[in-house]
């Protein structure tokens, strides 16, 4: 009854290959390569070394840009006009991971490898279908924007495209991943422009994302959760570096707000001095939470454990996450408190599977639905030292370590995405009516099938919470 987690964009890339890859050596003539592409009706040719390692790719775009307009090229070797270092992914990687890679790198083909050697290729049409042009054009426009006014308009375009994809039935896992990838591009471009035009350009610093942004799980209505990690060089103080960065962070937060990413009501943003910290200060902050934090402090600080570096000196973010994954699993008290906090938020199901409604006769699909899975996945990742932030990837990585059968973890993930889908539907309905988007629904207004599936999804939340209580004695 739950949404399948084996939709096309959750499949392994190897399952999407339509034919064996067509490849050639770097000495192959351009003319012969083009003839082969025409004869086989394909849009690309992979160039490989003698041991089948991909070293380049020739696409229709390359032919138009580098071959058609230059005399004498067509009879030369393909290595002169190919795009070197093609974007590759393991053949076992998921299709929507490939789709996100296409968005980020602005490419139309992903070369599939196994042990470094060519085994296949997938195109954007294999992944995006009829949406390929609009996704590609929007991502290209964002990356090419040179002023904030243009970038801010793209925020509305992303939301409009996401709602269109939702109405056309794109799977929820893929849809939220696409939204997050485009939001990443927009945020990164704003940060990039502001960093380059200020004194920050000469500093080692990294823009980080937290919460749903960090997990790549944003919906139609989202606010900002971000911060900055910076390095302090000899002769400087953290206070002086922070003073230089904060005005830039304030401009970035305001620009993102104008683009449709609301300012965080709790001020968890880089413009807040509490969240623009040196690497040592971030370590100290996490150390206090993990080693001596109160349950209330951990409750409010939970989203910081979803941090993901986005732009700048990514090594700073990587170093902090590596330290965190080493430190968190060592403290049973911390894990117990995190579990206890998570278990205070129970699924809204009462006697005989009746919904437990709030005073307004609603349930909050975010707070009392999706968050139950997010919290559980976060605890598993911290307890097991799993360096993942996305909820699905955390659960899949934790399952074998916890000896959870594949069917059980599939059910958890399907339940999570079903609730996410209901959240998106509710938000889209609010926007269509000109109302502020929220996550609160009266479950008894759902048709019978959706209502029964929601009950099943919340029962899965109970099951995952039972696992937390058992493993962490909460």
């Amino acid at each position: 009854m739950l949404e399948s987690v084996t939709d096309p964009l959750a499949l392994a890339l190897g399952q999407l290959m339509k034919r064996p890859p067509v490849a050639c050596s770097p000495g192959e003539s351009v003319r012969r390569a083009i003839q082969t592409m025409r004869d086989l009706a394909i849009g690309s040719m992979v160039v490989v070394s003698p041991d089948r390692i991909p070293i380049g790719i020739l696409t229709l775009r390359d032919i138009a840009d580098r071959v058609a307009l230059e005399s004498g090229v067509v009879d030369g070797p393909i290595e002169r006009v190919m795009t070197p270092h093609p974007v590759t992914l393991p053949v076992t990687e998921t299709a929507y991971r490939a789709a996100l890679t296409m968005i980020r790198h602005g490419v139309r083909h992903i070369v599939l490898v196994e042990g470094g050697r060519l085994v296949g290729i997938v195109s954007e049409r294999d992944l995006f279908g009829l949406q390929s042009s609009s996704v590609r054009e929007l991502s290209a426009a964002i990356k090419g924007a040179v002023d904030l006014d243009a970038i801010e308009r793209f925020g509305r375009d992303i939301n409009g495209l996401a709602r269109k994809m939702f109405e056309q039935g794109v799977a929820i896992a893929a849809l939220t991943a696409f939204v997050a990838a485009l939001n990443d591009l927009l945020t990164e471009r704003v940060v990039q422009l502001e960093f380059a035009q200020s004194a920050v350009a000469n500093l080692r610093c990294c823009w980080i994302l937290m919460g749903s942004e960090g997990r790549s799980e944003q919906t139609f209505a989202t606010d900002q959760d971000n911060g900055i990690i910076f390095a302090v060089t000899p002769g400087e103080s953290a206070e002086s570096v922070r003073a230089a960065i904060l005005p830039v962070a304030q401009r970035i937060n305001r620009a993102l707000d104008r683009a449709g990413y609301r300012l965080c009501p709790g001020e968890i943003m880089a413009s807040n001095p509490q969240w623009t910290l040196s690497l040592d200060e971030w370590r100290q902050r996490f150390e206090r939470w993990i080693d001596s934090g109160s349950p209330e402090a951990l409750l409010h600080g939970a989203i910081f454990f979803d941090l993901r570096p986005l732009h700048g000196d990514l090594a700073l973010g990587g170093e902090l996450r590596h330290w965190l994954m080493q430190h968190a699993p060592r403290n049973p008290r911390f894990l117990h408190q995190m579990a206890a906090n998570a278990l205070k938020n129970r699924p809204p199901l009462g006697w005989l599977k009746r919904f437990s409604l709030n005073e307004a006769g609603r349930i909050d699909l975010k707070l009392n639905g999706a968050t139950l899975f997010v919290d559980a996945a976060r605890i598993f990742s911290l307890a097991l030292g799993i360096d993942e932030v996305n909820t699905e990837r955390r659960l899949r990585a934790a399952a074998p370590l916890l000896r959870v059968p594949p069917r059980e973890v599939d059910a958890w993930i399907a339940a999570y995405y079903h609730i996410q889908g209901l959240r998106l539907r509710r938000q889209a309905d609010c926007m269509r009516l000109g109302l502020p988007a929220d996550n609160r629904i009266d479950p008894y207004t759902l048709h019978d099938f959706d209502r029964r599936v929601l009950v099943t999804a919340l029962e899965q939340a109970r099951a995952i919470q039972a696992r937390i209580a058992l493993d962490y004695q909460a």
Side-chain angles (χ1 to χ4, degrees), residues 312-326:
D313 192 333
L314 301 183
L316 291 170
E319 187 174 344
L320 181 58
R321 282 208 59 83
H322 178 75
W323 175 88
L324 181 59
M325 291 301 103
Q326 296 292 313

Side-chain angles (χ1 to χ4, degrees), residues 218-400:
Q218 292 162 291
T219 56
F220 299 144
T222 187
D223 56 18
Q224 298 181 49
D225 291 307
N226 48 55
I228 291 176
I229 307 170
F230 60 82
V232 180
T233 58
E236 292 181 321
S237 67
E239 289 74 17
S240 64
V241 178
R242 188 166 24 253
I245 291 175
L246 284 174
V248 184
Q250 290 166 358
R251 292 198 296 273
I252 293 170
N253 286 146
R254 287 196 295 266
L256 292 173
D257 181 49
R258 293 192 297 271
Y261 308 100
R262 300 169 306 199
L263 298 174
C264 175
E267 296 189 0
I268 301 176
M269 296 178 293
S271 54
N272 184 337
Q274 292 188 66
W275 312 123
T276 287
L277 304 172
S278 71
L279 181 58
D280 284 342
E281 288 173 329
W282 274 109
R283 281 202 197 101
Q284 292 166 12
R285 185 69 56 93
F286 278 110
E287 203 164 31
R288 286 198 298 272
W289 280 329
I290 294 170
D291 295 340
S292 59
S294 67
E296 292 75 18
L298 289 175
L299 181 65
H300 295 298
I303 66 168
F304 292 93
F305 293 93
D306 301 335
L307 78 88
R308 175 169 60 90
L310 178 71
H311 182 77
D313 192 333
L314 301 183
L316 291 170
E319 187 174 344
L320 181 58
R321 282 208 59 83
H322 178 75
W323 175 88
L324 181 59
M325 291 301 103
Q326 296 292 313
H327 195 74
R330 298 172 183 165
N331 193 318
R333 171 187 167 276
F334 161 71
L335 298 172
H336 172 83
Q337 287 187 326
M338 289 285 285
N341 277 342
L343 293 177
K344 290 176 184 177
N345 182 19
R346 295 291 187 174
L349 285 178
W351 184 249
L352 296 177
K353 301 182 181 180
R354 297 283 296 176
F355 293 102
S356 299
L357 307 180
N358 62 22
E359 294 179 355
R362 299 284 189 274
I363 62 173
D364 189 319
L365 291 168
K366 178 182 179 182
L367 178 63
N368 304 123
T371 297
L372 307 177
F373 296 93
V374 170
D375 286 348
R378 182 186 296 118
I379 292 167
F380 292 151
S381 72
L382 292 171
L384 300 169
I386 296 169
D387 193 10
E388 292 281 5
V389 291
N390 175 266
T391 296
E392 178 181 351
R393 292 200 295 275
R394 280 172 164 171
L395 292 175
R396 291 205 181 281

Side-chain angles (χ1 to χ4, degrees), residues 103-138:
I103 291 174
R104 175 159 291 279
H105 292 278
V107 297
R108 303 184 187 193
H109 300 84
I110 299 286
V111 176
L112 309 184
V113 295
E114 187 170 29
R117 290 177 170 79
L118 173 69
V119 294
I121 189 167
V122 293
S123 71
E124 64 178 356
R125 188 163 290 275
D126 296 330
L127 301 173
F128 293 94
L130 297 178
Q131 296 293 340
S132 61
S133 295
S134 52
V135 171
R136 182 179 67 249
E137 289 166 4
L138 183 52

Side-chain angles (χ1 to χ4, degrees), residues 11 80 102 125 149 156 171 174 181 238 257-258 377 407 428 435 456 461:
L11 294 174
R80 288 175 52 189
M102 284 186 180
R125 188 163 290 275
D149 288 342
R156 294 185 289 274
D257 181 49
R258 293 192 297 271
R407 288 177 61 86
L435 301 172
T456 302

Side-chain angles (χ1 to χ4, degrees), residues 141-154:
I142 292 170
K143 285 186 283 191
V146 294
D147 63 83
L148 292 182
D149 288 342
I151 296 174
E152 290 160 11
R153 290 194 296 273
F154 292 140

